Amino acid sequence: MTIEEFGRRLRARETTSAAATDECLARIDADNAKLNAFILVMADEARRQARALDTELSAGRDRGPLHGVPVSIKDLLDVRGTATTAASKVRAGHVAGRDAAAIAHLRQAGVVIVGKTNLHEFAFGTTNEDSAYGPARNPHDPSRSPGGSSGGSAASVASGMALATIGTDTGGSIRIPAAACGIVGLKPTIGEVSTDGVIPLSQTFDHVGPLTQSVADACLVYHALLGDHAAALPAPLPLSGLRIAVLRKYFCDVLDDEVRARFEEAIARFRSAGVHVDEIDIHGAEEISPVYLHIQLADASTYHAATLDSTPDLYTRPVRLRLEMGRYILAEDYVRALQGRERLQRMTDAALAQHDALLLPALPIPAPPIGATTVDVSGKPEPVRAMMLRLTQLFNVTGHPAIAIPMGSTDAGLPCSAQLVGCRMQTDALLRVALACEGIIHP
Amino acid sequence: MTLESWLASAIADAEKRGLPELKTMLEALAKSTAVLRQASRS
């Protein structure tokens, strides 16, 4: 059930927040042992919140589209009175004294928080395998990763444990799990949604945003995160006159055969629908990963420096090693990366100058098996981590808003996903494009 | 500092700190740094 559908049924008196919350909690009871999506289930508090919100609505107070909506929260954001574990033993004993700013906005919008979701430890990974609470699993195939780092979040929405969830995205951690689990994931423009009360991975690249079942739902949650909880849905842009640029060189060089097939089919549907489609390159794309790595690693190592020295063995080994690697980055290379970031921002702005949005796949491969370090792409082994980040990290470097939208599936039933990218500080315009294109990308 | 001397000192320090697994990761980072430096020159 989407948020839109729930809202219609709620206001028609066909359901209640309490009933929807009970449905989500029943789904958690049934499936969480298999999927390991939640670190904390807040059943009693959720039921209390839902009953109170139903009473409010009966009394004539309607908070807007998220009134009574059951949501889950990535366990990287502070929810008052609960531990923010970041899926790490390093955080043992922590209790948040107040809500993160984004959570405070959601409470004002009337959401019901059903629990806090599993993630890759400290959001530092793309598969959700390294977690003090064990790996979250993909609802489409539990032997596979749900993506990461917001893997438990994506699994919770894809399996009906929540109608929406809040994730964070530093190199793709909203869009990657959304793509792997077959749902929508929105990374707004950098800085739009407050990261106050969110454990940082990279203060240069961190974003907060929603994962939902539809673009319309993503619009509603995005506006609530901004504190605009009564906002109506924007109108989709008309398809005629829409100008889309497909990114080719680098972005389509290494794609799983079935992902490539779904992507080319989507492009053909765009053209058939009368959308103007250009094919372009972004100059300097080979610089994306080095720029990202040198800034993100240095940022992460700085935040974790004290606990790396005092309690190094409390980190999972792979995450500790990546954090330690950042301590060797030279200041001169960090500055080179900052300069590279500016070049990539200019190149991406130039690519968007004549277009409403850029179009590329969100994930070059279907969800990988848990434990895999490489995956076969067109007969060649490729490293999983590099593959997962390859198509998303540019827009963390540049700050452009980007949204992952389901794009069919492989023969084995694993989701594929497309990504639309808009101009900086124009997330609403991107959402209007995405509303228009959702039915083309996923007919 | 040249990349070669940076890499040698980083690997030596990691081994001294009991983190020998960092060697291959630092070698991969050095390749990435080489691309970054090349791009900043062009």
Side-chain angles (χ1 to χ4, degrees):
Chain A
M1 180 165 55
T2 65
I3 294 173
E4 269 193 306
E5 185 185 349
F6 167 73
R8 278 194 297 274
R9 293 185 59 205
L10 180 74
R11 286 163 187 86
R13 302 289 188 263
E14 293 169 6
T15 191
T16 61
S17 175
T21 300
D22 277 341
E23 282 176 34
C24 290
L25 292 171
R27 182 59 61 190
I28 294 170
D29 273 348
D31 288 343
N32 196 48
K34 179 176 67 178
L35 299 179
N36 201 22
F38 281 83
I39 288 173
L40 175 69
V41 180
M42 300 163 64
D44 293 342
E45 188 177 338
R47 289 193 174 99
R48 273 197 299 276
Q49 287 174 354
R51 283 196 300 269
L53 287 158
D54 284 335
T55 303
E56 267 191 25
L57 195 63
S58 297
R61 184 184 179 201
D62 188 340
R63 297 189 187 212
L66 296 197
H67 191 117
V69 173
V71 302
S72 62
I73 307 292
K74 184 180 188 177
D75 201 6
L76 198 68
L77 290 87
D78 283 346
V79 172
R80 67 169 181 258
T82 70
T84 309
T85 70
S88 180
K89 292 177 181 169
V90 173
R91 298 282 296 178
H94 171 268
V95 176
R98 63 186 181 93
D99 287 331
I103 302 301
H105 284 314
L106 287 181
R107 283 198 202 272
Q108 288 162 4
V111 303
V112 172
I113 298 174
V114 296
K116 302 195 72 183
T117 49
N118 203 349
L119 63 149
H120 209 114
E121 184 180 29
F122 282 110
F124 202 172
T126 56
T127 58
N128 217 128
E129 289 166 333
D130 301 316
S131 161
Y133 298 86
R137 294 176 180 275
N138 193 313
H140 294 271
D141 177 351
S143 72
R144 291 179 181 263
S145 165
S149 63
S150 312
S153 286
S156 75
V157 172
S159 61
M161 297 171 171
L163 300 197
T165 188
I166 305 304
T168 61
D169 191 319
T170 303
S173 282
I174 288 173
R175 292 160 288 154
I176 292 166
C181 291
I183 60 174
V184 170
L186 171 67
K187 181 197 81 65
T189 299
I190 183 95
E192 269 187 306
V193 178
S194 173
T195 55
D196 177 53
V198 183
I199 297 173
L201 175 57
S202 160
Q203 288 174 328
T204 312
F205 296 150
D206 288 344
H207 299 65
V208 174
L211 296 90
T212 57
Q213 294 183 58
S214 69
V215 173
D217 284 2
C219 291
L220 298 173
V221 180
Y222 159 68
H223 277 279
L225 287 168
L226 297 176
D228 182 13
H229 53 78
L233 276 179
L237 281 183
L239 285 174
S240 60
L242 203 59
R243 297 177 68 90
I244 299 287
V246 175
L247 297 186
R248 284 294 187 191
K249 190 180 169 189
Y250 174 85
F251 300 95
C252 289
D253 287 353
V254 186
L255 294 180
D256 170 88
D257 292 343
E258 289 188 274
V259 172
R260 186 184 299 282
R262 296 298 90 75
F263 186 57
E264 297 302 334
E265 289 159 10
I267 292 169
R269 288 194 295 273
F270 271 102
R271 290 196 162 114
S272 296
V275 175
H276 182 93
V277 179
D278 289 322
E279 305 205 355
I280 65 167
D281 297 330
I282 288 190
H283 181 69
E286 69 283 354
E287 207 182 352
I288 294 169
S289 175
V291 166
Y292 175 79
L293 203 60
H294 285 76
I295 296 173
Q296 186 268 340
L297 283 176
D299 279 353
S301 299
T302 301
Y303 177 78
H304 287 277
T307 39
L308 279 174
D309 288 339
S310 62
T311 55
D313 294 334
L314 293 184
Y315 290 92
T316 62
R317 191 74 177 170
V319 168
R320 180 192 171 196
L321 289 172
R322 283 203 289 277
L323 288 169
E324 291 284 1
M325 188 165 59
R327 305 178 104 175
Y328 292 99
I329 287 174
L330 295 176
E332 62 182 83
D333 291 321
Y334 181 80
V335 172
R336 287 186 183 102
L338 291 176
Q339 293 164 345
R341 181 191 191 201
E342 290 178 14
R343 286 192 292 275
L344 290 169
Q345 282 174 332
R346 285 197 298 274
M347 293 300 170
T348 308
D349 285 341
L352 278 158
Q354 305 296 323
H355 299 94
D356 296 294
L358 309 178
L359 175 67
L360 69 164
L363 197 55
I365 54 173
I370 290 173
T373 54
T374 62
V375 284
D376 183 275
V377 180
S378 300
K380 188 179 166 206
E382 299 282 353
V384 167
R385 181 174 163 78
M387 281 291 97
M388 299 293 264
L389 287 166
R390 184 178 174 90
L391 305 182
T392 50
Q393 61 191 349
L394 170 62
F395 310 110
N396 296 83
V397 170
T398 65
H400 291 78
I403 186 167
I405 299 173
M407 182 179 66
S409 59
T410 66
D411 289 346
L414 296 172
C416 303
S417 178
Q419 188 177 194
L420 287 166
V421 181
C423 294
R424 277 186 283 169
M425 301 313 296
Q426 294 185 35
T427 305
D428 260 324
L430 171 66
L431 287 166
R432 293 185 68 197
V433 174
L435 283 166
C437 297
E438 186 175 24
I440 297 175
I441 293 170
H442 188 59
Chain B
M1 182 182 268
T2 68
L3 215 43
E4 292 75 18
S5 58
W6 166 80
L7 181 59
S9 63
I11 290 172
D13 183 74
E15 285 175 353
K16 195 170 72 182
R17 296 174 58 224
L19 299 168
E21 309 105 297
L22 274 181
K23 181 171 183 286
T24 52
M25 297 168 77
L26 288 165
E27 286 167 347
L29 180 61
K31 287 181 187 166
S32 175
T33 307
V35 174
L36 187 68
R37 291 186 179 189
Q38 178 61 39
S40 75
R41 280 194 291 269
S42 58

